Amino acid sequence: MSKLPISVCIIAKNEEKYIEGCLQHLKPFGFEIVVTDTGSTDRTKEIAAQYADKVLDFEWIDDFSAARNFCAQHAENNWILALDCDEYMNTFNYQEIRRLSQKFPRSVGRFQLKNIVKGPDGIQRYSVDDVVRFYNKKRFEWGCPIHEQLFDLSNPNRSLDADVKYTFFDMPMEVVHHGYDISGEEMIQKQLRNLQLLGKQLERNQRDPYTWFQIGQSQFVLQRYDKAAEAYEISLQLNDDPKKYFVEILVESLSKAYLNLDRPQDAVNILQKYADRYKTAKYVFAQACAYQENNQALQALMSYIKATSMNDRETLGEGLFTCYNNIIAIYTMMGEHEMAKMYMGLYEKSKAERERVLSS
């Protein structure tokens, strides 16, 4: 029995590169660990058996949600923490997460996933995503064949295009995702696979905004910025309901696609259109980048400064380092050297955090 009534559920296929590191990081926390293998031909199952409480087999049917639900069904505990093989947990606050799960038994848990990404230039960077991965399996299950979402079991009309509605609590824990720190060819193959599965989802429902959004995300990673912008625009036209959690990310992503298409004014315009809705550091940072690319240095400076002063600034990941770097650069360009100097300490602190995450 784990120290907390939590089972960590992991699905795997040919993950010998990462799975031992994942399970080694998990083992000291005392959770029940359930690994479901979907057809590995390498040493994944052999390695998993050294650490996991259960190693199960599931016939792959092009459906990540089905595999996750199978894994959770075989867990001893009701509270499930879903992780991937390439995610390493560094910290987990037992006492606080126990308190939150007892206080909000009908809610789901969200944590900040720190993604290490290798860019086209071969340089490592990191970003931060809020991911919903902690839930009570008696109340929720996974849906969508790819880019899975949790659905409330009490909703009899839940479907691929149903509104995803639940409350969540933020979990004090750190997880670092290494799966994007791969070669360009590996990333291409991963995104092509994703597009194939997303195409099947689209056959079921041509008007699902979430599927179009995820198509845009894959096309963006493939640097097909025209196709990414087109998919984002379709998604936004189908539904720009601010209650849908992905719409803010959608608008920010569309602005980035415009910037890569050398359309900075369009990026500024789309962000201004929805600015009254979204008051997050990530949104303000996106505005700052758009202003800077549109040669609006003063607006960019003010937005960078605003983003760094917001309560959720840590969600910027490496973007916080970028903010301080650009603030210094703009002040220096303006001849405001004393102002630039004021931000050097914050710049060095964010640089140190960046190096810590990348080395973890």
Side-chain angles (χ1 to χ4, degrees):
M1 180 63 68
S2 61
K3 296 178 183 177
L4 290 173
I6 294 171
S7 296
V8 176
C9 290
I10 300 169
I11 59 174
K13 183 178 181 179
N14 295 334
E15 293 283 0
E16 66 178 7
K17 178 180 178 181
Y18 293 111
I19 193 168
E20 186 161 25
C22 172
L23 298 179
Q24 284 177 340
H25 278 73
L26 280 173
K27 202 63 179 177
F29 294 102
F31 305 119
E32 181 195 33
I33 301 174
V34 183
V35 175
T36 293
D37 188 85
T38 63
S40 293
T41 56
D42 63 4
R43 296 180 57 248
T44 295
K45 289 178 64 177
E46 176 187 340
I47 296 170
Q50 299 174 32
Y51 300 92
D53 297 281
K54 297 177 182 177
V55 180
L56 310 169
D57 289 301
F58 179 81
E59 183 178 354
W60 181 243
I61 54 174
D62 288 343
D63 192 325
F64 286 93
S65 287
R68 288 202 188 277
N69 289 332
F70 174 87
C71 193
Q73 288 162 10
H74 288 80
E76 294 295 327
N77 300 307
N78 290 333
W79 280 100
I80 304 297
L81 176 61
L83 293 179
D84 290 333
C85 296
D86 52 13
E87 296 171 350
Y88 297 175
M89 183 190 294
N90 293 328
T91 63
F92 188 92
N93 188 322
Y94 286 107
Q95 184 175 359
E96 181 63 10
I97 291 174
R98 178 189 288 275
R99 184 187 71 81
L100 290 167
S101 64
Q102 292 174 343
K103 184 176 180 180
F104 305 106
R106 297 179 180 274
S107 300
V108 296
R110 181 179 73 170
F111 62 86
Q112 291 181 0
L113 183 67
K114 297 180 178 179
N115 306 289
I116 298 178
V117 182
K118 183 178 291 183
D121 54 8
I123 297 175
Q124 283 186 330
R125 298 175 176 83
Y126 86 97
S127 62
V128 178
D129 290 330
D130 289 325
V131 295
V132 175
R133 300 276 197 83
F134 186 62
Y135 65 100
N136 189 318
K137 69 179 182 182
K138 297 294 185 182
R139 301 185 186 278
F140 298 92
E141 70 173 7
W142 295 100
C144 301
I146 186 171
H147 299 301
E148 311 89 290
Q149 299 182 86
L150 283 171
F151 289 86
D152 190 336
L153 287 168
S154 66
N155 179 4
N157 298 316
R158 64 186 185 279
S159 63
L160 176 63
D161 60 343
D163 284 341
V164 179
K165 296 179 178 177
Y166 39 63
T167 58
F168 55 81
F169 52 84
D170 288 315
M171 302 175 68
M173 56 188 289
E174 180 180 80
V175 181
V176 179
H177 175 218
H178 294 262
Y180 292 153
D181 185 19
I182 55 180
S183 69
E185 182 59 33
E186 288 174 303
M187 181 59 79
I188 289 172
Q189 294 305 314
K190 186 172 187 175
Q191 297 307 322
L192 291 177
R193 178 210 64 186
N194 290 355
L195 286 171
Q196 184 179 18
L197 294 176
L198 288 165
K200 291 181 179 180
Q201 282 187 193
L202 209 58
E203 290 174 3
R204 294 174 54 190
N205 184 355
Q206 287 277 339
R207 298 186 58 78
D208 177 46
Y210 181 72
T211 301
W212 280 108
F213 162 64
Q214 291 294 354
I215 289 172
Q217 296 289 74
S218 286
Q219 297 288 16
F220 189 96
V221 174
L222 291 170
Q223 300 181 48
R224 301 171 180 172
Y225 301 119
D226 53 344
K227 292 183 178 180
E230 181 182 4
Y232 292 143
E233 288 167 348
I234 292 172
S235 178
L236 206 53
Q237 290 166 5
L238 288 170
N239 195 325
D240 66 350
D241 183 354
K243 294 180 181 178
K244 287 185 177 292
Y245 77 95
F246 66 88
V247 173
E248 178 182 347
I249 306 171
L250 166 60
V251 176
E252 294 165 8
S253 299
L254 178 55
S255 74
K256 294 174 186 176
Y258 285 153
L259 292 180
N260 279 283
L261 291 169
D262 197 25
R263 297 166 56 183
Q265 187 60 59
D266 288 334
V268 170
N269 291 344
I270 194 66
L271 290 164
Q272 288 180 339
K273 180 178 180 180
Y274 294 94
D276 289 341
R277 289 186 180 182
Y278 303 116
K279 308 295 183 182
T280 66
K282 282 189 174 182
Y283 200 86
V284 175
F285 175 68
Q287 288 183 296
C289 294
Y291 285 135
Q292 187 166 15
E293 290 298 315
N294 205 40
N295 297 316
Q296 296 174 259
L298 183 58
Q299 292 91 330
L301 175 64
M302 299 309 295
S303 293
Y304 283 131
I305 292 173
K306 180 179 179 181
T308 64
S309 66
M310 298 176 76
N311 291 334
D312 64 336
R313 58 185 174 274
E314 297 302 325
T315 63
L316 292 174
E318 185 161 324
L320 187 58
F321 167 78
T322 301
C323 281
Y324 291 129
N325 185 56
N326 289 347
I327 289 169
I328 292 168
I330 294 172
Y331 270 134
T332 300
M333 179 190 69
M334 292 178 171
E336 298 285 350
H337 299 290
E338 288 300 316
M339 294 299 296
K341 187 176 180 180
M342 284 176 55
Y343 281 89
M344 283 303 300
L346 294 170
Y347 167 80
E348 292 297 337
K349 183 178 179 180
S350 64
K351 182 180 179 181
E353 172 63 8
R354 173 183 180 272
E355 293 172 352
R356 183 193 70 82
V357 172
L358 293 179
S359 64
S360 63

